[in-house]
Amino acid sequence: MLTIEGIEKSAYKELETVKDRDGLEALRVKYLGRKGDLTGVLRSLKDLSEKERKTLGSRANKFKDKLQEKIDAKFLEFGEGDGVSNIDITRPGHKPSRGYLHLLSKTEQEIRKIFLSMNFSVVEGPELETEFYAFNALNLPEWHPAREAWDTFWIKPKKGGERMLLRPHTSPVQIRYMEEHQPPFQIIVPGRCFRYEATDATHDTNFYQFEGLMVGRDVNLANFKYIVEKFFEEFFKGQKVEARFRPSHFPFVEPGVEVDMRFKGGDWLEMMGAGMVHPKVFEAAHYDPRDFQGFAFGMGIERLAMIKYKIPDIRMFYSGDLRFIKQF
Ligand code: PHE
């Protein structure tokens, strides 16, 4: 019986001596054709044990590809032979399909651009976070009931290691950034976040946020209001947008507010949480809270895109449905 090794050897040898297109075609049929030697070997595989079948099968397939490649190359070398081109130059070409950005990436880029134009820097942080940065340093000690609002996915800790989790918000990057920089500064932090919660039209276990943080000697909420209104106006392409603050509570800000916006004549839409950075947060980052003050906010990227592009359900972003994705 023919072995793979034997076939390989003689195929390569014959390939070297082949002189013209006809010879090459004959060789192709002999080895790769439907009744060819290799097909014979592949057919006989069914009688082998599973292990043998696997190794031999993969070897035979590799050989098949390689030989086909070599034969193709040789055909090119020999040229068209009879001098008559068999290429139909009138045949329409294949339209190359171009890649493009997902709407969420596009939205994030728009956000970055607007804040960069207002002299903010763009910073990123890890999606897998430590308990310290995600909670404790943000004035959310273990016993704090507000932790429940940011319930997330915990990772099994390494022996003796710190507890880790998928970050439920981008706020941990506030601490990471302040540990390494001194005010004044203004940053935004776009990124992916995770929450352990039921999925519906406006919630998903996976979503995108961006954090804002501006710190200096006298940065205040009035500055913040100006910045968000400017941001909304840019993002919503020059439409006049009004923002309002409602009292709210986040352990890492004091006072804390909920920010709503509305277009001229429209309803108020709840957009984000924000507030003045809590002294305890400054302390966790080794700042003296008597030296600095500033505002922080956290906004959902999907929410912005949903309003701007009139998308009714957050799950559409992650459906992978091209009919949705290709519209933007
Ligand atoms: N991190 C908060 C959230 O995800 C939002 C927030 C950020 C609130 C900064 C206040 C200040 O809900």
Side-chain angles (χ1 to χ4, degrees), residues 256-315:
V257 298
E258 206 71 55
V259 182
D260 303 335
M261 61 158 254
R262 71 171 168 193
F263 299 111
K264 232 186 171 75
D267 292 333
W268 288 107
L269 304 165
E270 186 177 319
M271 294 308 291
M272 71 182 111
M276 295 298 288
V277 179
H278 197 288
K280 286 239 166 95
V281 172
F282 282 142
E283 277 166 10
H286 309 294
Y287 286 1
D288 185 336
R290 282 168 301 191
D291 290 344
F292 301 115
Q293 61 181 49
F295 63 77
F297 63 89
M299 191 165 2
I301 296 183
E302 284 86 351
R303 178 135 182 80
L304 280 167
M306 284 168 84
I307 295 172
K308 181 163 177 176
Y309 299 98
K310 303 198 166 43
I311 296 161
D313 193 315
I314 191 172
R315 288 165 293 195

Side-chain angles (χ1 to χ4, degrees), residues 90-102:
T90 63
R91 192 172 156 184
H94 288 290
K95 196 169 174 204
S97 65
R98 260 218 270 161
Y100 42 86
L101 292 176
H102 189 280

Side-chain angles (χ1 to χ4, degrees), residues 147-162:
R147 265 204 191 193
E148 212 174 57
W150 289 276
D151 201 5
T152 181
F153 303 95
W154 292 83
I155 308 301
K156 238 193 215 149
K158 287 210 186 87
K159 250 210 169 86
E162 200 180 343

Side-chain angles (χ1 to χ4, degrees), residues 150 168-171 174 195 209 211-212 250 252-253 273-275 296-298:
W150 289 276
H169 50 183
T170 42
S171 301
Q174 290 187 25
R195 283 193 202 170
Q209 246 189 7
E211 193 81 5
F250 301 91
F252 30 93
V253 287
F297 63 89

Side-chain angles (χ1 to χ4, degrees), residues 199-210:
T199 306
D200 64 24
T202 52
H203 299 85
D204 211 332
T205 51
N206 168 148
F207 60 100
Y208 285 80
Q209 246 189 7
F210 71 101

Side-chain angles (χ1 to χ4, degrees), residues 43-221:
R43 280 219 183 97
S44 68
L45 284 180
K46 64 178 189 317
D47 306 323
L48 299 177
S49 73
E50 171 150 352
K51 206 167 141 230
E52 282 176 308
R53 214 185 315 144
K54 262 208 186 125
T55 42
L56 211 66
S58 108
R59 168 137 188 208
N61 277 322
K62 266 194 207 124
F63 166 62
K64 198 169 137 193
D65 293 344
K66 196 146 168 214
L67 186 61
Q68 184 70 55
E69 229 173 73
K70 282 183 190 273
I71 290 175
D72 289 346
K74 205 105 186 171
F75 266 119
L76 280 182
E77 215 175 277
F78 286 145
E80 292 304 329
D82 54 8
V84 181
S85 170
N86 54 8
I87 296 174
D88 175 4
I89 57 164
T90 63
R91 192 172 156 184
H94 288 290
K95 196 169 174 204
S97 65
R98 260 218 270 161
Y100 42 86
L101 292 176
H102 189 280
L103 180 58
L104 280 179
S105 311
K106 202 176 125 183
T107 306
E108 188 190 305
Q109 286 193 352
E110 289 171 15
I111 295 168
R112 284 176 184 244
K113 215 168 129 198
I114 296 168
F115 276 94
L116 283 170
S117 80
M118 294 194 284
N119 208 23
F120 277 64
S121 307
V122 180
V123 177
E124 290 183 16
E127 291 170 7
L128 181 60
E129 218 7 308
T130 65
E131 183 172 17
F132 172 76
Y133 287 112
F135 289 126
N136 304 54
L138 292 169
N139 196 26
L140 271 154
E142 194 161 358
W143 49 264
H144 202 297
R147 265 204 191 193
E148 212 174 57
W150 289 276
D151 201 5
T152 181
F153 303 95
W154 292 83
I155 308 301
K156 238 193 215 149
K158 287 210 186 87
K159 250 210 169 86
E162 200 180 343
R163 293 219 290 169
M164 306 278 283
L165 52 109
L166 294 178
R167 65 175 178 196
H169 50 183
T170 42
S171 301
V173 190
Q174 290 187 25
I175 308 288
R176 288 185 177 275
Y177 188 83
M178 287 193 284
E179 279 180 341
E180 290 180 357
H181 300 83
Q182 285 298 310
F185 62 77
Q186 53 278 332
I187 59 169
I188 60 160
V189 187
R192 189 179 187 184
C193 304
F194 307 83
R195 283 193 202 170
Y196 181 71
E197 66 182 334
T199 306
D200 64 24
T202 52
H203 299 85
D204 211 332
T205 51
N206 168 148
F207 60 100
Y208 285 80
Q209 246 189 7
F210 71 101
E211 193 81 5
L213 179 65
M214 179 163 184
V215 180
R217 294 213 177 270
D218 49 14
V219 176
N220 57 46
L221 276 184

